[in-house]
Amino acid sequence: PAEWPGLDLGALAYTPVRADGVFDHAREARVYVALGEPRGPIGGPGYFILTPLMLDDGSAILVNRGFTPEGRQDPATRADGQTSGRVTVRGLLRGPEDRNAFTPADEPAKRLFFARDAGAIAAGLGLDRAAPFTIDADATPNPGGLPQGGETRISFPNRHLEYALTWFGLAAALLGVFAVYAVGLVREARRRP
């Protein structure tokens, strides 16, 4: 935990990690998603279930335990998945998701969030000493089948506009060079008898 503030989360994205602790199911949060291409058998609209994993020193790491479909977000509907006692979580380290103009506002009072942002979720859950990252749990089955682990959303920076501008800029520069060359050929042709 002492090193958490200095971590380069961009460089550590998708790094395999392991953590040991006890889940605090009383502070479970949901992040709304529409899982279009699930890796497991369940997809569609639903929620990633983020549960604080309490470490021995009292700090917490938010663990994305996996996907739960709409209608099963209430923990009482998936009581078998509310594991108790000490657990070992294996998964991938994830930094916060970016928000855009279309991302709805979070509803911390309902423990409902619309972006996986460890800082915002930890504040909404009242966690004082929480990691600035989340762990996406691997596909190890949870008792009862839910949440469905291993549903890490792979997202890479979208730099298509930057690439398009670069290539169109290079094409325009090449046309400019050709235009100067062509004008030079025309002038020279006019000077010859």
Side-chain angles (χ1 to χ4, degrees):
E3 297 174 12
W4 288 347
L7 292 178
D8 180 355
L9 298 178
L12 295 172
Y14 305 108
T15 299
V17 294
R18 187 191 101 193
D20 299 307
V22 177
F23 281 126
D24 182 356
H25 294 290
R27 293 200 254 188
E28 179 179 284
R30 298 169 288 136
V31 176
Y32 181 80
V33 293
L35 204 56
E37 296 180 21
R39 289 172 184 79
I42 304 168
Y47 305 90
F48 282 143
I49 302 300
L50 275 77
T51 307
L53 181 70
M54 305 309 294
L55 306 180
D56 293 338
D57 66 359
S59 59
I61 298 173
L62 289 170
V63 176
N64 176 1
R65 297 183 59 225
F67 178 76
T68 296
E70 189 77 48
R72 299 288 303 273
Q73 65 268 25
D74 182 351
T77 66
R78 47 187 169 76
D80 290 343
Q82 304 298 91
T83 55
S84 61
R86 191 161 187 80
V87 296
T88 297
V89 174
R90 287 179 175 78
L92 302 175
L93 186 141
R94 301 295 308 278
E97 280 182 328
D98 292 331
R99 293 175 174 270
N100 60 41
F102 301 106
T103 305
D106 294 332
E107 299 178 32
K110 295 180 179 178
R111 296 188 180 165
L112 176 61
F113 299 86
F114 293 93
R116 197 192 65 257
D117 180 345
I121 296 170
L125 297 177
L127 295 169
D128 296 328
R129 296 178 51 218
F133 56 85
T134 59
I135 295 175
D136 281 1
D138 65 12
T140 301
N142 285 305
L146 291 176
Q148 176 177 278
E151 294 293 343
T152 297
R153 293 175 118 181
I154 307 296
S155 60
F156 297 102
N158 181 351
R159 304 184 80 176
H160 292 92
L161 178 61
E162 181 181 328
Y163 296 144
L165 292 175
T166 299
W167 288 106
F168 283 116
L170 288 171
L174 184 59
L175 284 174
V177 169
F178 176 74
V180 169
Y181 174 74
V183 167
L185 284 178
V186 169
R187 284 185 181 160
E188 191 170 319
R190 288 185 182 165
R191 284 191 225 155
R192 291 188 193 158

